[in-house]
Amino acid sequence: MTTPDTPLLEISGIVKRYGGLVAIDHVDLQLQPGTITGVIGPNGAGKSTLISLIGGAIAASEGSIRLDGCDISRLPASERARAGIGRTYQIPRPFLDMTVEENLEVAQYSIQPFIRAAEARDERASLLDRTGLADVANLPAHALPLLRRKRLEVARALALRPRIILLDEVGAGLVDSEITELIALIHSIADPRTAIVIVEHVLRVVRECCARSMVLNFGKKLVEGPTLEIFANDEVAAVYLGTGTSTRLR
Ligand SMILES: Nc1ncnc2c1ncn2[C@@H]1O[C@H](COP(=O)(O)OP(=O)(O)OP(=O)(O)O)[C@@H](O)[C@H]1O
Ligand SMILES: [Mg+2]
């Protein structure tokens, strides 16, 4: 049952163990529609694992994930995508020999096998436009430079008509001017019905896109709250930078 207070996504006590290693250790997180949430933390903290647990690429050892009140934690990734979870990968994974537009087509038909061709074409045209890829629609994905490939990752996630968009380090490898473009892209895809989660080492992306953030450390939630407060938190700075109490994240 959903009530007006039911979060769009509710993660409760999620755990992922790899043998003796606890990659995610009893993490809770709630996402409301219309929000962009940052997930930060040092290398190996469990950020990508959390994204994979939500998207269903890996199964949780314990805990539950509810989308609109429905437990999706036992569903395979393909059904979660159909239920409205779209993700990008830390290392972009387009079909390299297919064109940009064909990559979007694959994503569309994966969730709507019976979509009408004309409707799918219109939706692709709009997606290509929104993500700044219209001029390279007919190029093979392998011909794209990095920022365009990241744009394609975002477009593929959007082609799943997602209610949850999971972005794993889309900023990695981009120079400062490209980060500015990426930030504009993220703002442009924000939607009052959708929740976006951004895993990112490029803190500027988190600062400029995410009103709230969560910090993971050794698989545990260290702190969660308004991003500006998180960045001013001494414990967070110490975890991130290995410094004493005088350094703040910028
Ligand atoms: N398939 C796996 N088998 C065993 N251990 C794994 C597996 N995937 C991840 N881990 C371990 O789980 C922990 C969390 O990894 P994860 O990739 O989620 O970290 P991360 O926060 O995304 O790091 P980064 O910032 O480097 O991307 C690490 O110790 C990692 O080595
Ligand atoms: Mg990662």
Side-chain angles (χ1 to χ4, degrees), residues 29 36-40 206-215 223-233 236 249:
L29 181 66
I36 310 182
T37 304
V39 176
I40 63 173
V206 179
R207 198 178 52 240
E208 294 186 24
C209 295
C210 307
R212 291 180 67 80
S213 290
M214 167 172 86
V215 183
V223 59
E224 181 190 350
T227 298
L228 294 182
E229 283 176 27
I230 298 274
F231 279 25
N233 180 309
V236 174
L249 299 191

Side-chain angles (χ1 to χ4, degrees), residues 18 21 23 41-50 90 168-169 199 201:
Y18 290 109
L21 177 95
N43 293 115
K47 305 178 298 295
S48 295
T49 303
L50 183 65
Q90 187 162 345
D168 194 359
E169 293 208 30
V199 165
H201 282 293

Side-chain angles (χ1 to χ4, degrees), residues 80-174:
R80 293 195 209 186
R82 235 168 274 137
I85 296 188
R87 71 167 294 181
T88 68
Y89 286 87
Q90 187 162 345
I91 300 170
R93 293 179 172 187
F95 297 106
L96 290 170
D97 292 331
M98 288 187 179
T99 68
V100 167
E101 185 165 1
E102 285 164 350
N103 266 276
L104 299 190
E105 208 171 334
V106 171
Q108 284 180 312
Y109 283 95
S110 74
I111 57 149
Q112 310 164 86
F114 304 112
I115 189 173
R116 285 179 27 247
E119 186 190 344
R121 205 168 39 241
D122 287 353
E123 189 177 35
R124 285 198 300 278
S126 145
L127 280 173
L128 290 164
D129 233 26
R130 281 172 72 197
T131 53
L133 291 169
D135 58 331
V136 292
N138 297 319
L139 286 188
H142 68 72
L144 300 183
L146 187 61
L147 176 61
R148 297 281 200 148
R149 241 182 234 206
K150 307 256 180 180
R151 287 181 178 278
L152 176 56
E153 277 291 284
V154 173
R156 278 175 3 125
L158 290 176
L160 301 173
R161 297 188 176 175
R163 287 183 297 157
I164 306 288
I165 304 175
L166 308 166
L167 305 177
D168 194 359
E169 293 208 30
V170 272
L174 300 179

